[in-house]
Amino acid sequence: MNSDDHSREDNLARRLLTLNGYMEARSIGTELLCISRTKPITTVQQHILQDQKRFPTASGEFSWLLSGITLATKMIESKVRRAGLSDIVGSQGNTNVQGEVQQKLDVYANEVLLHCLSMRESIGVLASEENEHPLIVPHQSPNAKYAVVFDPLDGSSNIDVNVSVGTTFSILRKPDGAGLNDVKKWVLQPGSKQVAAGYVVYGSSTILVYSVGNGVHGFTLDPAIGAYVLSHENIRMPNQGKYYSVNEAYRDTFSQQYNNYLERLRSGALGRRYASRYIGSMVSDFHRTLLKGGVFLYPPTADHPSGKLRLLYEANPISFIAEQAGGVCSDGKQRVLDIHPQSIHQRTPMIVGSAVEMAEFERCMQEGS
Ligand code: AFP
């Protein structure tokens, strides 16, 4: 082998061993390769297992449960990435329980989550935006102690135009004494009772953000290795941001307090003039608010006097994440996590954001019209 061959081989090995940026290959002389780790890889499963070490009695079943969510969301993401190529965009021709047109991807995402989560013995009840009633998982295991509530594809009316969409989920523990048939008791719990919650955004990359009540962590899906890899450790929402996010087309139907608040943001009363951003896909709008600060609002409107967002599977998981990251989430009157739900598909107004914007929001609400 001459030195050109060596150098070609060396470069090839270097490329192979650079394993998507996680490892570094170094040559010593012309023959030896020394591999050193540049960045430790932490997958979401490793992270959950490490976190469980805090609880000496943890059996690992919770990480197995969460792996049902990660598997399902990888399957959803692969369909989302092929939207436009396969016959998966467009409406299914049905409406769901909310009276909303079901997209084909809504139906697929729902089926995938139901399938993957039904395999987990620790789950007794599943409730989805797409199903009228909560479902008892067929295995009916006596070991079942969690309910998972989810919106399989939030923002799906945007999918045909390549706008980011997401999945939200909330995990609740079976209340003491509840039987398997008391499905409403399993899911009609205030958000403060969530044991874990999170979401996935299928955006320019796919990111899973979750919390088990011990901070908020983000994992980006590395398509080359098919794993969610820790990319945003211990996310903290900035104290103040520069964007507000609301559908301003409805502003003439907002109450005076909301309009006063928005005017204060626009006029610079909080020390800066805000710009606006609104995607119309709540998970994506919230994800920006989580990372950059600011405020997202879906107030009561003429069409949705109780707000549009669903308490159990949209507002509650988002509130849990927001509070864990140092943010605040309100329905305009109280903390969202304190609302006692009366029905599975209950809606709520939701205002979520950084400490500075939320303090001003609460001040405007108290001031009245
Ligand atoms: P779809 O899932 O039907 O697209 O609804 C998305 C959503 O529930 C939420 O993600 C958005 O923030 C909100 O609706 C947008 O609603 P408006 O179009 O009324 O602003």
Side-chain angles (χ1 to χ4, degrees), residues 31-320:
E31 292 182 358
L32 284 175
L33 281 168
C34 154
I35 305 159
S36 67
R37 209 169 239 203
T38 55
K39 234 200 276 178
I41 310 171
T42 305
T43 65
V44 67
Q45 300 307 334
Q46 280 171 317
H47 196 266
I48 296 162
L49 288 170
Q50 277 162 15
D51 193 62
Q52 282 189 331
K53 289 192 186 136
R54 291 186 299 133
F55 307 100
T57 52
S59 59
E61 65 181 10
F62 193 67
S63 63
W64 178 232
L65 183 165
L66 277 169
S67 77
I69 293 176
T70 55
L71 174 61
T73 56
K74 284 182 209 171
M75 292 170 73
I76 297 167
E77 99 94 27
S78 93
K79 277 279 191 238
V80 169
R81 296 285 168 234
R82 290 183 52 77
L85 294 175
S86 53
D87 182 27
I88 194 74
V89 292
S91 100
Q92 176 85 2
N94 307 327
T95 52
N96 67 10
V97 59
Q98 329 280 339
E100 296 161 347
V101 176
Q102 272 185 318
Q103 305 294 312
K104 288 181 195 164
L105 263 170
D106 281 326
V107 175
Y108 175 80
N110 192 38
E111 282 171 2
V112 164
L113 275 154
L114 291 175
H115 175 80
C116 292
L117 294 173
S118 297
M119 304 287 175
R120 303 302 190 258
E121 220 190 311
S122 61
I123 302 177
V125 174
L126 293 169
S128 162
E129 185 199 8
E130 300 300 331
N131 297 108
E132 187 165 3
H133 302 292
L135 308 166
I136 299 173
V137 176
H139 58 60
Q140 304 204 359
S141 165
N143 299 327
K145 56 173 176 237
Y146 296 109
V148 184
V149 186
F150 55 86
D151 180 355
L153 210 59
D154 175 65
S156 58
S157 58
N158 293 314
I159 194 104
D160 295 1
V161 290
N162 271 32
V163 169
S164 301
V165 291
T167 297
T168 52
F169 60 91
S170 157
I171 303 176
L172 295 153
R173 202 183 299 278
K174 172 174 90 105
D176 287 343
L180 203 47
N181 291 322
D182 302 327
V183 287
K184 285 197 172 171
K185 278 198 189 152
W186 287 58
V187 296
L188 295 183
Q189 302 188 55
S192 55
K193 298 273 186 199
Q194 292 171 104
V195 291
Y199 61 81
V200 174
V201 183
Y202 312 101
S204 46
S205 63
T206 295
I207 184 164
L208 164 74
V209 174
Y210 92 103
S211 175
V212 290
N214 183 29
V216 177
H217 309 288
F219 299 81
T220 301
L221 182 64
D222 185 335
I225 60 172
Y228 284 106
V229 175
L230 183 61
S231 52
H232 298 66
E233 193 164 17
N234 199 16
I235 299 172
R236 302 300 297 164
M237 198 186 278
N239 211 34
Q240 185 175 9
K242 52 183 184 180
Y243 303 125
Y244 70 86
S245 182
V246 66
N247 191 334
E248 294 208 271
Y250 308 141
R251 66 195 267 185
D252 58 340
T253 79
F254 297 162
S255 72
Q256 192 59 49
Q257 287 112 308
Y258 280 94
N259 277 318
N260 290 347
Y261 175 61
L262 292 172
E263 184 48 35
R264 288 183 66 74
L265 296 178
R266 279 190 294 265
S267 67
L270 273 69
R272 61 184 62 159
R273 277 179 187 276
Y274 282 73
S276 87
R277 295 281 187 278
Y278 189 72
I279 298 169
S281 176
M282 185 273 294
V283 190
S284 315
D285 278 315
F286 173 72
H287 188 61
R288 181 194 55 250
T289 308
L290 177 70
L291 297 185
K292 302 284 183 195
V295 62
F296 167 85
L297 311 87
Y298 206 111
T301 64
D303 285 348
H304 294 290
S306 306
K308 182 182 181 195
L309 302 176
R310 277 50 64 117
L311 173 62
L312 289 180
Y313 36 83
E314 293 183 312
N316 274 345
I318 293 299
S319 276
F320 190 77

